[in-house]
Amino acid sequence: MGKVAVGAAVVCAAAVCAAAALVVRHRMKSSGRWARAMAILRELEDKCGTPIGKLRQVADAMTVEMHAGLASEGGSKLKMLISYVDNLPTGDENGLFYALDLGGTNFRVLRVQLGGKEKHVVKHEFDEVSIPPHLMTGTSEGLFDFIAEALAKFVATEGEGLHPAPGRQRELGFTFSFPVWQTSITSGTLIKWTKGFNIEDTVEQDVVGELTKSMEKIGLDMRVTALVNDTIGTLAGGRYHNQDVIAAVILGTGTNAAYVEKAHAIPKWHGLLPKSGEMVINMEWGNFRSSHLPLTEYDQALDAETLNPGEQIFEKIISGMYLGEIVRRVLLKMAQEADFFGDVVPPKLKIPFVLRTPDMSAIHHDSSPDLKVVGSKLKDILEISNTSLKMRKVVVAVCDVVATRGARLSAAGILGVLKKLGRDTVKDGEKQKSVVAMDGGLYEHYTEFRTSMECTLKELLGDEVAEHISVEHSNDGSGIGAALLAASHSQYHEVEES
Ligand code: ADP
Ligand code: MG
């Protein structure tokens, strides 16, 4: 072999060695990355842990806060607002009633024809209207004028057999899902606009008064007989169909709960005791917080960046608005600290709220062998391509941890309410049933979440008690519920009774 050939052989061998070393280093690096990513996942699991003992502490804390919130204004993070709903529908209601739903994803108008115990809801029609964005940031007068007009248009389409009884005013239940300081069943002052509504001139505005003014302007003769929120509407809708309904929980973009309380068990109640002896309490449980809640660095960072830091902590770890965002934050940390998606942090992963909860649930529910849906969601939403099956499994695991924590804490919250009502135990021979009416997109569409919540509640209650308690989907309770409350609080109600 000549010198040149030897030299070439040496160079080649060196190159082979260098390449081999690169492969080894790459493997070591990638196994190092993998280990770091796994450590982040393990830590997340650990911090989000909700063993049954912890859930019981959360439930107990919920009960304690409920007592405190009922005792005095500002006595707790739980506002425990008196709704003035003291007449839940019985199923006997008769006639035509309207409802308006403002404050959810869509603005809706609807009417129902009620046929009493025998026929129940004879007919039900609704219309969904989108609110022009400029009205969401304009004046309240502009917004209420628009709503009144939409309502008038809808009234004009009353068809065969759908008219109010002769000589009677049309009556409306108004589902207004914003924080309201209620002073009677038909009057309340808006505390503040939320959810993208940014109306300047509405400090301490009388909500029903504003709507009534706008209706009068266009000659629409209609009277608001119930001002409620979506949670109370759901409770009413549930109760109408099943008299065992004692509470309602919303798990949607946000979360809230309402329940039926004995009026004498509300120390801060200074009004007349209602005839029924009962009063619906709007808990505003999204604002619940307790040292027992398992919070992580991701929750703390998310909270700090919201418009209302320190508030709505329960909501921020449970509800549809936030679950996907928590997952994004975990994946971002994996990308930044473990190069989980490669050497470059995927830029899209840095965008707050880019991963929505419906996408998270699609990832979580992917049952294909190669996790195809996970792959395509990562690609479409985060522009992360070429993910291995192993990586996709980690992403699913993150969704599972975050959803499971939310679901199990929701169950603990429900147990807290049942405890307050003394319905978390059964006495010998007792047959009393308790039903919790549920609604909201998260509950409805996120099957893993719903199943986990329901299993956890059973686990917390134990078999014997669980037989007496059920969770039922109150379908569109929030829309029809307000119309049912308009009926049960009708101005003609007393006349009919006497
Ligand atoms: P809102 O709470 O605005 O009144 P919904 O009760 O319909 O409206 O809930 C909508 C919320 O439900 C969405 O913001 C989303 O977080 C959640 N959601 C909707 N669809 C799904 C889904 N397929 N999987 C998981 N969550 C969903
Ligand atoms: Mg809603």
Side-chain angles (χ1 to χ4, degrees):
M1 212 190 285
K3 260 189 192 164
V4 176
V6 171
V10 170
V11 170
C12 279
V16 168
C17 283
L22 252 177
V23 169
V24 171
R25 223 177 301 144
H26 178 75
R27 280 207 190 122
M28 276 170 55
K29 195 169 156 196
S30 78
S31 79
R33 284 172 176 178
W34 189 257
R36 266 175 288 155
M38 283 298 109
I40 292 172
L41 177 60
R42 295 287 163 264
E43 194 190 355
L44 177 75
E45 283 171 340
D46 187 43
K47 292 271 161 58
C48 288
T50 48
I52 217 77
K54 192 170 208 41
L55 293 180
R56 291 199 189 288
Q57 289 174 316
V58 171
D60 287 342
M62 182 68 82
T63 313
V64 167
E65 293 299 320
M66 290 172 77
H67 277 283
L70 290 175
S72 62
E73 277 342 318
S76 163
K77 280 256 166 199
L78 289 183
K79 288 203 184 69
M80 304 298 284
L81 301 172
I82 292 165
S83 71
Y84 293 86
V85 170
D86 52 7
N87 248 333
L88 282 166
T90 58
D92 292 333
E93 291 75 13
N94 253 301
L96 177 70
F97 295 91
Y98 276 82
L100 245 187
D101 185 350
L102 181 70
T105 306
N106 294 298
F107 160 55
R108 299 172 110 207
V109 286
L110 68 88
R111 62 177 153 248
V112 289
Q113 180 71 44
L114 303 174
K117 261 275 178 300
E118 296 294 305
K119 298 195 201 131
H120 276 288
V121 176
V122 180
K123 204 165 178 189
H124 152 219
E125 296 175 336
F126 73 92
D127 201 7
E128 222 156 67
V129 188
S130 57
I131 296 177
H134 72 273
L135 290 182
M136 293 175 67
T137 53
T139 63
S140 62
E141 190 180 350
L143 178 65
F144 282 111
D145 282 353
F146 175 82
I147 292 170
E149 262 159 47
L151 200 52
K153 271 189 214 144
F154 185 60
V155 168
T157 63
E158 268 177 12
E160 239 353 79
L162 275 172
H163 294 290
R168 287 195 171 188
Q169 215 179 1
R170 288 185 184 82
E171 293 179 314
L172 174 79
F174 189 5
T175 307
F176 186 74
S177 301
F178 297 94
V180 164
W181 181 258
Q182 200 114 6
T183 46
S184 79
I185 180 71
T186 55
S187 55
T189 318
L190 178 68
I191 297 166
K192 73 168 185 253
W193 288 101
T194 55
K195 312 185 210 189
F197 286 80
N198 189 9
I199 288 169
E200 295 292 324
D201 60 357
T202 42
V203 194
E204 304 200 351
Q205 199 132 44
D206 164 15
V207 178
V208 173
E210 287 297 306
L211 178 62
T212 308
K213 246 192 281 169
S214 294
M215 293 196 294
E216 280 168 358
K217 251 193 256 176
I218 54 170
L220 176 60
D221 182 26
M222 191 180 261
R223 180 179 179 132
V224 179
T225 60
L227 172 69
V228 294
N229 71 10
D230 53 354
T231 318
I232 292 168
T234 299
L235 179 60
R239 174 65 78 91
Y240 180 74
H241 293 289
N242 184 341
Q243 292 294 306
D244 292 331
V245 168
I246 43 101
V249 173
I250 299 278
L251 289 162
T253 307
T255 183
N256 191 13
Y259 75 106
V260 185
E261 183 59 278
K262 298 260 170 292
H264 63 71
I266 312 172
K268 71 178 177 186
W269 172 263
H270 300 300
L272 285 176
L273 273 192
K275 255 197 278 176
S276 65
E278 293 185 330
M279 177 58 65
V280 173
I281 299 292
N282 167 22
M283 291 177 62
E284 292 293 332
W285 89 353
N287 202 36
F288 171 70
R289 80 177 298 170
S290 151
S291 58
H292 299 299
L293 289 178
L295 295 178
T296 66
E297 59 185 281
Y298 310 104
D299 307 306
Q300 265 138 12
L302 185 160
D303 176 47
E305 287 171 32
T306 54
L307 291 172
N308 53 351
E311 284 171 51
Q312 301 295 105
I313 297 298
F314 198 47
E315 179 163 88
K316 285 173 187 165
I317 53 178
I318 283 183
S319 80
M321 166 122 191
Y322 303 100
L323 293 183
E325 170 63 5
I326 300 170
V327 170
R328 179 195 71 86
R329 285 171 180 270
V330 178
L331 296 181
L332 179 62
K333 175 156 169 169
M334 288 180 165
Q336 285 171 332
E337 295 186 10
D339 294 339
F340 187 66
F341 298 107
D343 292 332
V344 183
V345 176
K348 288 263 158 148
L349 196 50
K350 295 183 187 158
I351 305 172
F353 293 93
V354 70
L355 185 67
R356 295 160 52 253
T357 302
D359 296 314
M360 167 190 177
S361 92
I363 289 174
H364 197 171
H365 290 138
D366 188 359
S367 57
S368 64
D370 54 346
L371 298 178
K372 215 172 28 237
V373 180
V374 181
S376 66
K377 287 283 174 196
L378 290 173
K379 188 155 184 294
D380 297 346
I381 300 164
L382 301 170
E383 293 176 359
I384 300 172
S385 39
N386 301 325
T387 46
S388 67
L389 180 58
K390 225 164 120 186
M391 286 162 78
R392 294 176 188 186
K393 282 185 178 163
V394 171
V395 174
V396 175
V398 173
C399 295
D400 189 53
V401 174
V402 173
T404 303
R405 177 184 63 164
R408 288 174 65 83
L409 289 173
S410 318
I414 294 173
L415 176 64
V417 176
L418 292 171
K419 273 181 175 252
K420 173 70 185 70
L421 291 171
R423 288 176 183 247
D424 61 318
T425 53
V426 278
K427 287 156 209 91
D428 279 345
E430 202 174 45
K431 294 230 165 57
Q432 185 183 48
K433 288 241 183 261
S434 307
V435 178
V436 180
M438 306 280 307
D439 200 13
L442 183 68
Y443 174 79
E444 223 177 313
H445 304 298
Y446 202 151
T447 312
E448 285 283 345
F449 186 102
R450 183 178 63 235
T451 313
S452 167
M453 190 206 78
E454 290 173 354
C455 290
T456 307
L457 186 60
K458 283 212 172 75
E459 192 184 342
L460 284 166
L461 292 167
D463 289 344
E464 196 199 349
V465 180
E467 264 178 44
H468 297 257
I469 289 165
S470 63
V471 165
E472 280 171 20
H473 183 202
S474 170
N475 208 357
D476 184 35
S478 60
I480 293 192
L484 297 170
L485 285 167
S488 64
H489 291 86
S490 163
Q491 60 190 307
Y492 307 109
H493 197 68
E494 298 289 317
V495 183
E496 268 157 18
E497 271 180 6
S498 52

